[in-house]
Amino acid sequence: MSNPTLPPMPSERLLDLRDVQVGFATRDGRVAAVNSVTYHVDRGEVLGIVGESGSGKSVTVRAIMRLLAKNAVEGAGGSIRFNPDGDRELLLSAEHKNSRLMREIRGGRIGMIFQEPMTALSPVHTVGTQIMRTVMLHRKCGRTEARARAVELLGKVQLPNPEEMVDRYPHQMSGGMRQRAMIALALCCDPVLLIADEPTTALDVTTEAQILDLLKSLQDELGMAIIFITHNFGVVADIADRVAVMYLGRIVETGSVDDIFYAPKHPYTQALLQSIPRLGQARVRRLKTIRGSVPDPYNVPKGCPFHTRCDFADAALCGTELPPRKAFAGDQSALCHFAGELREAGQ
Amino acid sequence: MLHFVVRRVLWAIPVLVVVSFISFVIIQLPPGDYVTAMVAEMRNNGEFVTAVQEEEIRTALGLNDPLLVQYVRWISAILLHGDFGQSFHWNAPVADLIWGRLGITLILSTLSLVFTWLIAIPVGVYSAQRQYSFLDYLFTVFGFLGKGIPDFLLALVLMWVGFAWLNMDVGGLMSPQYEGQPLSVAKALNVLGHIWIPVVVLATGGAAGLIRVMRANMLDELGKPYVETAYAQGLSERQVVWGYPVRVALNPFISTVGWALPALFSGDVITAVVLNLPTTGPLLLQSLKMQDMYLAGGFILILSVFTVIGTLLSDILLAWSDPRIRYA
C-alpha cells in the first residue's frame, strides 16, 4: 500500500500528512481551503490544531476521514498515511469516501467527535442504539454484547446511571451529557486515533473544563492519540503535547506546547498569544489585536498569506514570495521569512 | 407511550360528538326535508295530500321535534343499530348504499396509496442524494408533469391507450359479463385488468407531489451533523441514508398519513366519474346534487369520523416514530 516515493514512516508515527491540498469547486470558482498542509501524529500523543474559522483545520481532518463534501477537489501531490497497528502503512489519500477500508477505519480505528453535541446525534434514536450500531458493525457481535459495551462506555465517560442513560434520547440530555455520549460513541471500538473537532466550542466554560478533564483521563487510560482542533489557545495549553497553528489553509507554525507558548517564531502565533489576557501580566488598557481581518479565501494575498496583517512584513519580500519553512530546535518550524530574527514577544 | 395514546383517544370522544352534531345540523340546513320531497312525489303521482296531512306525516316521522331530540334519535340509531336512515333518491337504506361501495373504494385507494409511497419515497431519497444529477432532473420533470396533468385527463388518455392500442375494454372495474357474478379466478383477473388504470392515475398524481416533499425533507436532513456522525461510524452510504435521515424525513409523511383515511373513503371523485368506478366518490357527489339529505349526512359523518380517527392514528404513529413528540 505504501507509496514508493515517500520515505517509510517511523514506527512511532501513527498518521502522516504531506502536502495535503483541498479546494472546493463553487459557482464563483475554485476556493483553496487547505494548501500544502504537512503534519504528523505519533502514537499516544495529543496534537492541538489552532486556527481561526476558515483556516482549513476541519477540512484537513475531513480529508483524513475521507468525508469531504462532494464538491471538494484534492491536490494530486498530497498524501495521507495511516499506520494503525505499526505494521502496515495505509495510504488514505488514495481511498474513496465509501471504500471498504475507509468504512473499517472510520469508527473502528479513528473515532471522531464533532462540535455540535445538540445536532451531531440522531434525534430519533436512543444514545444506546447509536453506540450499539457501531459496536455491532465493527465487532460483529450480537445485541446483548453491544448493549453491555454501550453501558460500559457511558459509565466510562462518567455519565450517571449508564443503565438508564443507554435508553435516553439526545433531547433528554444536556449539552455536556450529549458531548459525553458523543465521546462514548467515538471511543466505542477502541480507536488508535481520536479526532476532536472543536468538541468544547458549543459548551459553557464549566462544562468545557469537565469535558477536557474527561478527555485527558480517557487518553491516560486508553492511550489513543488525539487530534484536538480548537480556536482557543487556553484549551490547547491544557491538553496538547504538540501544537500546529493554521492560517488561511496553511500550517504557519508547529512545535511542542512549550515552544509555541514560550518561544513562538511566527508573527501570527505571537500576535494570537498577545491577544489573550493573562493573570499577572502588566496592566494594559487594551489587549493587543491583530489588525485587519482574514482575507477572502477567493482572493488570497500573494506571497506570505499573513503579510497583509503582519507588523513585521517587508512589502518587497513578504508580498511576493511565499516564505520557506524554517526549522528550529525541538521539531519547531515556522513559515516566515524572518522567523527566528524577530523579538520573541510571547512572554 | 400508553399514557399518550389513552389521552389522545379520550380527547377524540368529545371531538366526535361535536363533529356528529355539526354533521346533523348540516343535513337540516337545506330548505325542505324528506317529507316535502315525498309529498311532492305523491302529488306528482296524482294523490291528494293536504297540508294538514303533510304535517301529520312530519309529526309521525318526528321531524317536528326539537333539533336536539332529532339528533339524539339519529345518532342513537346509527350507534345502536348502524341505521343511517333512508336515502329517498335510491329508496334504500343509506348504510347499504355506502357499505356496498366501501369495500372496492378501500381496495382501490389503499392500492394507490401503497403505490404512491413505493414510488415517492425511493425516488425522493435518490433525488436528494444525487441532487442535480441527470436522473434528479428527469424525476423532477416527470414530477412536475405528473403534478400538472389533471388526474381525469391522464385517466382519459390511459383509457384511450388501453382501448385503441391494447385492445382492452376499459372503464368500470370489471367487464359487464362479470357484474353480479360470484367471485372467481377469472373475475379477479378481469378486475386486475381494469384496476391498473385508476391505480396508475391516482398514484402518479399523488407520487408527483410527494417526491418533491420527500426530496426537500431529505435535502434538509442530509446536511445535518448527525448524518456526518453516522458516516464517521463507518456505516455504508445505504445504511447511513436509510437508517438516519430517511427516518427523520418520513415524519411529515407520517403526520399526514391520517388524512389519507378520509381521502381513501371519498376517493378521487372526478377520476372515479370519468372511469365509471363504483366507488363512494360519485355517490357522494350525486347525493349532494340531489339534496339526498340522509345519504349526504351519512357521508359527511363518516368522512368526519375518518378524519378524526386518521388524525388520531397519525398522532400515535408519529409519537411511536419520533421520541421528541412522545416525551414533549
Side-chain angles (χ1 to χ4, degrees):
Chain A
M1 283 294 270
S2 72
N3 191 324
T5 61
L6 293 166
M9 290 159 69
S11 62
E12 77 276 9
R13 192 64 44 92
L14 178 64
L15 181 75
D16 186 281
L17 278 75
R18 262 164 215 266
D19 214 13
V20 172
Q21 302 187 6
V22 183
F24 292 100
T26 68
R27 279 164 201 255
D28 306 318
R30 174 88 61 95
V31 191
V34 174
N35 286 310
S36 181
V37 161
T38 298
Y39 64 69
H40 64 87
V41 183
D42 288 340
R43 281 169 217 290
E45 78 168 345
V46 180
L47 173 70
I49 299 183
V50 192
E52 310 176 46
S53 312
S55 59
K57 33 192 210 306
S58 294
V59 174
T60 316
V61 294
R62 276 170 181 71
I64 300 171
M65 291 291 271
R66 314 310 292 159
L67 286 176
L68 290 167
K70 277 178 193 147
N71 61 344
V73 187
E74 286 178 275
S79 72
I80 301 171
R81 287 179 298 166
F82 181 53
N83 189 347
D85 305 309
D87 53 2
R88 49 179 188 150
E89 284 182 22
L90 305 171
L91 188 65
L92 299 190
S93 47
E95 292 295 322
H96 184 259
K97 179 179 181 183
N98 287 314
S99 74
R100 185 172 292 272
L101 175 68
M102 276 325 295
R103 281 192 271 130
E104 277 167 22
I105 288 177
R106 283 199 295 258
R109 311 315 305 268
I110 306 181
M112 189 156 174
I113 313 173
F114 296 89
Q115 179 174 352
E116 289 286 341
M118 297 301 178
T119 50
L121 291 167
S122 164
V124 295
H125 298 91
T126 60
V127 169
T129 315
Q130 298 183 52
I131 297 176
M132 284 158 65
R133 267 194 200 175
T134 312
V135 173
M136 278 150 65
L137 180 75
H138 292 287
R139 300 213 160 156
K140 319 253 178 300
C141 64
R143 291 190 62 86
T144 356
E145 200 180 319
R147 192 181 159 88
R149 173 77 181 146
V151 172
E152 181 198 338
L153 282 158
L154 292 178
K156 220 171 226 174
V157 295
Q158 293 161 19
L159 277 171
N161 306 327
E163 289 86 2
E164 205 180 296
M165 288 295 161
V166 81
D167 293 319
R168 287 271 187 105
Y169 289 92
H171 71 270
Q172 296 171 300
M173 300 175 139
S174 69
M177 286 160 87
R178 286 187 220 184
Q179 198 58 296
R180 284 171 196 269
M182 188 76 227
I183 293 171
L185 178 61
L187 294 179
C188 68
C189 297
D190 290 323
V192 285
L193 175 64
L194 177 69
I195 297 176
D197 186 1
E198 306 214 26
T200 56
T201 305
L203 304 173
D204 63 77
V205 279
T206 318
T207 318
E208 175 174 42
Q210 291 169 354
I211 295 287
L212 287 176
D213 284 343
L214 173 68
L215 278 174
K216 278 192 286 188
S217 71
L218 285 171
Q219 204 240 348
D220 283 345
E221 186 187 339
L222 305 169
M224 72 281 185
I226 301 180
I227 298 179
F228 196 98
I229 298 175
T230 179
H231 55 246
N232 186 339
F233 254 119
V235 171
V236 165
D238 199 13
I239 197 168
D241 300 317
R242 281 192 306 117
V243 182
V245 181
M246 284 189 80
Y247 183 76
L248 268 186
R250 289 178 195 279
I251 294 204
V252 291
E253 180 161 9
T254 160
S256 70
V257 166
D258 288 347
D259 287 341
I260 292 286
F261 274 83
Y262 296 111
K265 297 290 191 289
H266 196 282
Y268 179 61
T269 319
Q270 295 174 354
L272 280 181
L273 287 166
Q274 281 167 3
S275 66
I276 306 170
R278 294 188 193 190
L279 282 176
Q281 73 179 14
R283 273 181 71 106
V284 283
R285 242 168 63 76
R286 304 186 73 154
L287 278 170
K288 227 174 126 57
T289 55
I290 305 177
R291 64 190 160 90
S293 54
V294 186
D296 175 16
Y298 288 95
N299 218 341
V300 177
K302 267 181 67 167
C304 172
F306 189 58
H307 83 268
T308 51
R309 307 174 68 192
C310 180
D311 289 335
F312 308 99
D314 171 356
L317 180 61
C318 300
T320 51
E321 258 181 68
L322 185 69
R325 184 165 297 280
K326 289 196 180 175
F328 298 91
D331 228 5
Q332 189 178 8
S333 70
L335 200 70
C336 176
H337 291 292
F338 302 112
E341 299 162 26
L342 305 168
R343 64 188 164 82
E344 287 173 4
Q347 289 84 350
Chain B
M1 184 72 188
L2 189 71
H3 177 73
F4 176 89
V5 173
V6 169
R7 209 178 46 191
R8 281 303 160 108
V9 170
L10 289 180
W11 265 112
I13 294 171
V15 174
L16 283 174
V17 171
V18 172
V19 153
S20 64
F21 185 71
I22 293 174
S23 308
F24 188 72
V25 172
I26 289 173
I27 316 173
Q28 305 286 340
L29 279 182
D33 54 23
Y34 180 53
V35 177
T36 322
M38 194 177 78
V39 168
E41 204 177 318
M42 286 163 81
R43 282 185 182 135
N44 270 345
N45 294 342
E47 291 179 48
F48 182 74
V49 187
T50 63
V52 179
Q53 282 174 312
E54 190 182 330
E55 210 49 36
E56 274 168 4
I57 302 174
R58 206 163 263 143
T59 313
L61 287 174
L63 292 179
N64 282 336
D65 296 342
L67 194 65
L68 213 56
V69 175
Q70 290 192 51
Y71 165 72
V72 170
R73 198 185 297 132
W74 179 67
I75 198 73
S76 51
I78 291 174
L79 285 179
L80 300 178
H81 313 291
D83 177 11
F84 283 81
Q86 193 82 3
S87 157
F88 51 72
H89 176 72
W90 298 85
N91 200 19
V94 168
D96 292 357
L97 285 169
I98 294 179
W99 300 135
R101 287 175 168 231
L102 195 61
I104 198 72
T105 310
L106 286 181
I107 290 174
L108 187 60
S109 307
T110 313
L111 266 182
S112 57
L113 185 74
V114 167
F115 273 96
T116 304
W117 282 41
L118 280 182
I119 297 167
I121 293 172
V123 171
V125 170
Y126 179 90
S127 274
Q129 255 185 292
R130 304 270 182 272
Q131 194 188 10
Y132 304 137
S133 66
F134 171 73
L135 276 179
D136 177 31
Y137 281 122
L138 192 73
F139 289 139
T140 302
V141 168
F142 273 110
F144 282 127
L145 276 179
K147 193 84 192 131
I149 296 173
D151 280 355
F152 66 88
L153 186 67
L154 191 62
L156 285 174
V157 170
L158 280 180
M159 268 172 37
W160 178 75
V161 168
F163 178 75
W165 291 357
L166 302 177
N167 204 17
M168 298 164 55
D169 74 301
V170 287
L173 267 185
M174 58 194 83
S175 302
Q177 66 266 30
Y178 293 106
E179 297 276 7
Q181 295 294 311
L183 191 64
S184 64
V185 177
K187 180 174 171 175
L189 286 177
N190 188 266
V191 169
L192 279 182
H194 282 81
I195 210 168
W196 69 271
I197 292 181
V199 168
V200 166
V201 168
L202 295 175
T204 44
L210 284 182
I211 287 173
R212 307 305 300 166
V213 174
M214 193 66 198
R215 180 177 181 274
N217 287 347
M218 279 301 287
L219 283 176
D220 279 351
E221 293 304 324
L222 283 174
K224 297 230 170 120
Y226 71 84
V227 177
E228 191 178 35
T229 308
Y231 275 114
Q233 301 316 308
L235 298 166
S236 69
E237 189 174 10
R238 193 167 44 83
Q239 288 168 317
V240 170
V241 169
W242 289 93
Y244 293 91
V246 168
R247 266 295 305 276
V248 184
L250 276 180
N251 283 346
F253 274 70
I254 294 174
S255 64
T256 54
V257 69
W259 302 344
L261 204 57
L264 288 181
F265 180 69
S266 63
D268 188 295
V269 178
I270 302 177
T271 310
V273 171
V274 167
L275 289 174
N276 188 24
L277 300 176
T279 54
T280 45
L283 190 64
L284 170 62
L285 183 68
Q286 210 163 21
S287 72
L288 292 173
K289 281 200 311 204
M290 308 294 288
Q291 289 201 355
D292 196 348
M293 46 187 242
Y294 282 107
L295 184 55
F299 263 114
I300 293 169
L301 179 66
I302 292 177
L303 278 176
S304 316
V305 170
F306 274 25
T307 309
V308 173
I309 295 176
T311 311
L312 181 69
L313 277 180
S314 270
D315 284 353
I316 293 173
L317 276 176
L318 196 60
W320 168 72
S321 93
D322 191 339
R324 288 169 296 180
I325 289 176
R326 202 180 318 156
Y327 294 103

